[in-house]
């Protein structure tokens, strides 16, 4: 019953050809961590392939099973890594507000390099699990600090373009990763290569001249002298004389002199200050909720997409391409139409596609299921990306990014044994998408506005009319801002 190519093989060669994902396709599978089942070892005395055993010479540590009965370890590792991102967003996000963007970014890169190298030398699966949790937290700290610093250096008209550009660089890395895994052919070497790259980033961006502290954060915390030095350096690098007597530079110098009068002490804000706001916490809760839905509902679209696209790598590249398409869609619409209408549209499309797949996936033709799955993935990607940008413009980004990673942690649970409870998970996220659609209507519009410098500034953001032609101000029916927040409020701030 063997195919002709295998009839001439005997002994270890036949066993080697019978193990799944060996031969020409062995390298990508090993790079993804698919190891030899232990129950196949007693069948032959021939040594197992070198990629499955400890590396000769410099010991890289033992291997362990991630297939068959031990397949549950793979989603557990993925959930642990994503929960590490959630933990890093909360802990290191608070550190960004207390110690600064640059300090957290450099410290996170140092920890990321060390933890990445430790993962490559992990001796057991529990050790790898803990290291992946901590590694995800440090990666989240570096990403969050870089995200905030980038937005604070951009003026409002270019903020969306720079965010989309950074997202497209992330998509390019996602597309190159399978090729790098096939080239390296060993997951420990691939992990060590990632640690080496983070170390190179540390050497490049670790100098204050290349990655200075955010002047916006320095001004918000009352560190005017440090902000003045960095702003003057920016002006000189741009070919502008900071001592020029023109109106723009003179007004900047005058404003900085007024802020530094009396030698003010640095002031820092605590996350507990959200308890004293009446609108800011609600905006953050809504955006965190939409990010949670956008990250968690993708599992249902992936499962509906899997039978229609049986090729192993095609869903991976398709989802990366859809992320790029979602970013381009935001670039074309979020500035001309506004953040809130585009987020409303993305949430509506996500919920509608999920409900249609939930109600009639077994009755719809294959091309319709494929179309709804692709449309849902595209819309959910747009919702997640826009929620993060929207949150940075009206609210501290920590909670929103953390909620997005919490939603993504629900996706690996789909691969557990039997996939029990997936229908209930799909129903819950489809219902939450409909609820998020109603909550988005309560958000303010942040297009072409400066970033809020404090929680009080964020609490003054009032919900504007959804339609441009509406002559009357849209009054908020729930949780109006306190009277103290309206002091000095002008119609231009609408």
């Amino acid at each position: 019953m063997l195919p002709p190519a295998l009839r001439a093989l005997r002994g270890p060669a036949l066993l080697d050809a019978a193990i799944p994902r060996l031969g020409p396709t062995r390298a990508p599978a090993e790079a993804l961590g698919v190891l030899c089942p232990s129950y196949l070892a007693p069948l032959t005395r021939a040594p197992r392939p070198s990629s499955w055993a400890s590396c000769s010479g410099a010991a890289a540590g033992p291997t362990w099973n991630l297939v068959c009965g031990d397949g549950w370890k793979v989603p557990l590792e993925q959930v642990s890594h994503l929960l590490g991102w959630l933990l890093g967003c909360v802990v290191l996000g608070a550190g960004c507000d207390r110690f600064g963007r640059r300090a957290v970014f450099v410290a996170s890169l140092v920890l990321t390099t060390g933890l990445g190298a430790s993962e490559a030398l992990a001796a057991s699966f529990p050790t790898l699990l803990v290291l992946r949790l901590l590694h995800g937290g440090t990666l989240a700290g570096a990403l969050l600090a870089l995200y905030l610093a980038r937005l604070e250096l951009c003026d409002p008209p270019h903020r969306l373009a720079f965010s989309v550009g950074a997202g497209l660089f992330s998509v390019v890395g996602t597309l190159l990763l399978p090729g790098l895994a096939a080239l390296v052919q060993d997951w420990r070497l691939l992990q060590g290569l990632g640690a080496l790259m983070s170390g190179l980033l540390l050497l490049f961006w670790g100098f204050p001249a290349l990655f200075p502290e955010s002047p916006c954060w320095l001004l918000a915390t009352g560190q005017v002298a440090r902000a003045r030095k960095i702003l003057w350096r920016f002006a000189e690098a741009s070919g502008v004389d900071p001592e020029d007597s023109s109106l723009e530079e003179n007004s900047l110098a005058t404003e900085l002199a007024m802020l530094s009068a009396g030698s003010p002490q640095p002031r820092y804000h605590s996350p507990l200050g959200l308890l004293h706001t009446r609108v800011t916490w609600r905006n953050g809760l809504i955006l965190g909720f939409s990010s949670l839905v956008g990250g968690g509902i993708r599992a249902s679209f992936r499962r509906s997409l899997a039978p229609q696209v049986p090729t192993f790598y095609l869903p991976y590249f398709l989802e990366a391409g859809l992320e790029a398409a979602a970013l381009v869609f935001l670039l074309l619409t979020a500035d001309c139409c506004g953040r809130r209408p585009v987020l409303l549209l993305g949430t509506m499309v996500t919920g509608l596609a999920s409900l249609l797949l939930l109600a009639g996936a077994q009755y719809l033709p294959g091309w319709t299921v494929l179309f709804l799955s692709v449309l849902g993935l595209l819309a959910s990607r747009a919702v997640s990306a826009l929620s993060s940008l929207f949150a940075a413009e009206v609210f501290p980004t920590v909670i929103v990014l953390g909620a997005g990673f919490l939603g993504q942690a629900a996706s690996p649970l789909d691969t557990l044994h039997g996939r029990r409870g997936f229908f209930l998970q799909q129903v819950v996220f489809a219902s939450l998408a409909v609820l998020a659609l109603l909550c988005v209507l309560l958000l303010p519009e942040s297009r072409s506005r400066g970033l809020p410098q404090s929680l009080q500034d964020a609490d003054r953001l009032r919900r504007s009319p959804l339609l441009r032609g509406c002559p009357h101000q849209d009054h908020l029916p729930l949780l109006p801002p306190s009277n103290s927040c309206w002091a000095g409020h002008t119609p231009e701030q609408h």
Side-chain angles (χ1 to χ4, degrees):
M1 297 178 65
L2 292 176
L6 297 179
R7 290 175 185 171
L9 299 178
R10 293 292 184 272
L14 180 60
L15 177 64
D16 220 21
I19 297 176
R21 301 195 182 281
L22 285 180
T25 61
R26 179 173 58 190
E30 292 168 2
L32 294 175
V34 181
L35 306 179
C36 178
S38 59
Y39 58 82
L40 291 180
L43 298 181
T44 177
R45 295 184 181 180
R48 292 193 288 178
S50 58
S51 298
W52 291 348
S54 301
C55 295
S56 58
T63 56
W64 50 88
N65 294 333
L66 295 177
V67 295
C68 300
D70 293 321
W72 56 271
K73 294 180 180 180
V74 177
L76 179 62
E77 178 272 329
Q78 295 173 350
V79 171
S80 174
H81 189 61
L82 290 171
L83 291 181
W85 281 79
L86 171 63
L87 181 65
C89 285
V90 175
V91 176
L92 296 179
C96 284
D97 293 333
R98 179 60 180 85
F99 303 105
R101 287 34 170 155
R102 169 180 160 75
V104 172
F105 178 74
V106 173
S108 298
L109 278 184
V110 171
L111 295 175
T112 297
T113 304
L115 290 171
S118 300
E119 287 180 26
L121 303 175
S124 63
F125 180 75
T127 303
L128 179 66
L129 205 62
V130 174
L131 290 175
R132 291 290 288 170
L133 176 71
L134 298 177
H135 192 202
T138 56
L139 285 174
L143 174 66
L144 181 61
L146 188 63
Y147 188 87
L148 294 176
R150 180 175 63 245
L151 290 184
E152 290 171 349
L153 288 175
C154 296
D155 55 339
H158 300 92
R159 192 181 297 148
L160 177 65
F162 276 93
S163 298
V164 170
L168 291 177
F169 273 105
S170 176
V171 172
V172 171
T174 303
L175 293 174
L176 293 178
L177 182 59
L180 182 61
L183 181 65
V184 171
Q185 298 189 2
D186 187 85
W187 73 271
R188 292 186 185 275
L189 185 58
L190 180 64
Q191 189 64 46
L193 184 61
L196 176 62
M197 296 302 295
S198 61
L200 293 177
L201 286 177
L202 178 63
L203 292 177
F204 185 72
W205 294 112
F207 297 98
L210 295 177
F211 190 82
E213 185 56 82
S214 169
C216 184
W217 176 79
L218 293 173
L219 291 174
T221 54
Q223 304 179 62
V224 184
R226 291 180 59 189
R228 179 187 180 91
K229 293 180 181 179
I230 296 176
L231 290 174
W232 253 237
R233 190 188 309 162
F234 286 167
E236 292 174 353
S238 302
V240 178
D241 184 7
E243 302 297 335
D244 192 2
S245 59
S246 63
L247 179 60
E248 183 177 357
E249 285 78 14
N250 191 28
S251 62
L252 175 61
T254 304
E255 185 176 357
L256 290 175
M258 293 176 59
L259 290 175
S260 59
S263 300
Q265 296 296 321
R267 56 183 185 273
Y268 303 100
H269 305 281
S270 171
L272 297 178
L274 290 173
L275 301 177
H276 304 290
T277 62
R278 303 187 65 182
V279 173
T280 306
W281 70 269
R282 185 210 62 202
N283 293 338
L285 185 64
I286 293 173
L287 289 170
F289 183 56
S290 64
S291 183
L292 172 69
V293 173
I297 205 171
R298 293 175 202 159
S300 61
F301 296 128
R302 291 193 190 102
R303 182 165 182 177
S304 301
L305 185 66
Q308 313 300 325
V309 187
T311 308
F312 180 68
Y313 285 114
L314 186 56
Y316 178 88
F317 290 110
L318 177 61
E319 192 166 356
L322 290 176
E323 183 178 1
L327 292 172
V328 174
F329 170 75
L330 294 180
L331 180 63
L332 298 176
T333 58
D335 266 343
C336 62
C337 301
R339 282 26 169 183
R340 188 174 60 166
V342 175
L343 183 60
L344 189 66
L345 176 63
T347 308
M348 180 176 64
V349 172
T350 301
L352 183 60
S354 180
L355 289 175
L356 289 176
L357 288 174
L358 183 65
Q362 63 271 30
Y363 307 110
L364 296 174
W367 67 269
T368 306
V369 175
L370 178 63
F371 172 76
L372 291 176
S373 302
V374 170
L375 183 63
L377 284 173
L378 176 66
S380 63
R381 286 286 182 181
V383 167
S384 297
L386 187 56
S387 296
S388 300
L389 175 64
F390 205 163
E393 295 178 336
V394 300
F395 184 81
T397 320
V398 176
I399 294 178
V400 176
L401 286 179
F405 292 121
L406 180 62
Q408 294 178 39
S411 180
L413 299 178
D414 176 39
T415 60
L416 289 177
H417 292 290
R419 299 183 177 182
R420 299 183 182 92
F422 179 79
F423 179 78
L424 179 60
Q425 175 183 334
Q426 189 175 3
V427 171
V428 169
F429 276 105
S431 304
L432 292 180
V434 176
L435 181 59
L437 179 65
L438 302 177
C439 295
V440 169
L441 294 172
L442 299 176
L443 293 173
E445 179 56 58
S446 62
R447 176 185 54 182
S448 301
R449 285 179 174 175
L451 297 176
Q453 300 295 320
S454 63
L455 292 177
Q456 288 73 23
D457 293 337
D459 212 39
R460 294 189 184 102
L461 295 177
R462 190 179 182 183
R463 190 181 65 167
S464 57
L466 186 62
L467 301 178
R468 287 187 176 183
C470 183
H472 303 291
Q473 179 63 33
D474 198 9
H475 296 287
L476 190 64
L478 295 175
L479 302 173
S482 58
N483 294 331
S484 61
C485 294
W486 286 96
H489 187 66
T490 60
E492 288 77 14
Q493 291 174 312
H494 295 168

